[in-house]
Amino acid sequence: GIGGIVEVTVMQSTNYWKNAKQQGLPFTLDPRVTYRGYPSNCLNFVSVTVWQFAANGFIKKMITGGKQRKLSAVEEIGAGLGAGVSSAFMCSPLELIMVQQQRKGTSFVNTLGSITSSGLINWGRGFWMTAMREGVYTAGYLGVTPVIRSAVSKRFPTWNEDVCRVIASCCGGAFSCYLSHPADTIKTCLQGDIERKRFTNHSNT
């Protein structure tokens, strides 16, 4: 929880710059702008991370039937994928609030009203792209990373375990970020334009 809040606090500006670039918004260093949606992002990061770890463990137990055995690479990655997709139900609306706050500078409460006033269907804006992004991303850090760590440890048994973890984390992180980024871009554009003036649907976006 605390670690997640610290990470969001440090990375909030980069999150804003990413979202702004994706939507063609001007660059700024003004923290009054870059830290818009900060509470929403904190709530999102902490709650979604907890959900993904819990869901990942639950799915693994379903796969093994509660028996103690090593999962295959496909099972490991599949569990991470499922955990990520399921987290979209929580992640998507929270990120919708954050993106709208970043664009318009409105308060949390006013943003809730603005999204709802245009139709309850707006709360599903960007959901499928969020599910795709989180599925791929979580498959990377909860699936690909441990699979690579095991492979490296097996291939180089004399290597320090921490070295294997670093290598696996770098590979898993690259996998997660690179493959999930297109879905994230589409999601951000859709959520930033709930009025549907420019980004009307997925194919148009």
Side-chain angles (χ1 to χ4, degrees):
I2 295 176
I5 292 174
V6 171
E7 180 175 345
V8 172
T9 302
V10 173
M11 301 297 292
Q12 178 67 20
S13 291
T14 62
N15 181 285
Y16 174 86
W17 294 329
K18 175 191 71 69
N19 289 345
K21 183 67 174 178
Q22 288 171 330
Q23 300 172 82
L25 301 177
F27 178 82
T28 179
L29 293 172
D30 188 345
R32 294 172 298 179
V33 176
T34 60
Y35 274 79
R36 288 174 180 171
Y38 169 73
S40 305
N41 200 18
C42 286
L43 178 60
N44 175 45
F45 190 90
V46 173
S47 60
V48 169
T49 301
V50 171
W51 175 276
Q52 288 174 347
F53 273 94
N56 186 59
F58 177 76
I59 295 172
K60 284 182 176 179
K61 284 185 178 179
M62 288 183 62
I63 292 173
T64 62
K67 298 178 181 178
Q68 291 293 326
R69 70 169 177 83
K70 183 177 177 59
L71 272 70
S72 68
V74 172
E75 291 172 333
E76 195 90 51
I77 295 170
L81 178 67
V85 170
S86 68
S87 70
F89 289 98
M90 186 183 302
C91 180
S92 183
L94 288 172
E95 288 201 9
L96 174 62
I97 296 170
M98 179 191 69
V99 171
Q100 282 293 301
Q101 285 186 282
Q102 288 178 337
R103 280 192 66 94
K104 301 173 181 176
T106 50
S107 69
F108 183 86
V109 174
N110 287 341
T111 301
L112 294 180
S114 173
I115 295 170
T116 305
S117 66
S118 301
L120 290 176
I121 194 172
N122 278 336
W123 286 104
R125 188 84 166 152
F127 171 80
W128 293 113
M129 288 297 103
T130 304
M132 184 180 295
R133 183 200 67 187
E134 289 301 312
V136 172
Y137 189 84
T138 310
Y141 86 86
L142 290 181
V144 173
T145 298
V147 168
I148 293 177
R149 185 182 67 231
S150 296
V152 173
S153 296
K154 186 177 180 179
R155 177 67 178 81
F156 304 99
T158 60
W159 284 15
N160 183 285
E161 186 63 25
D162 289 335
V163 173
C164 297
R165 286 196 182 96
V166 170
I167 293 173
S169 296
C170 290
C171 294
F175 171 92
S176 300
C177 291
Y178 185 77
L179 293 183
S180 68
H181 194 67
D184 177 70
T185 300
I186 297 172
K187 176 209 74 75
T188 302
C189 291
L190 287 169
Q191 292 187 332
D193 185 18
I194 59 173
E195 296 80 14
R196 295 166 173 77
K197 293 180 179 179
R198 181 182 178 190
F199 304 109
T200 56
N201 53 45
H202 291 80
S203 59
N204 170 267
T205 304

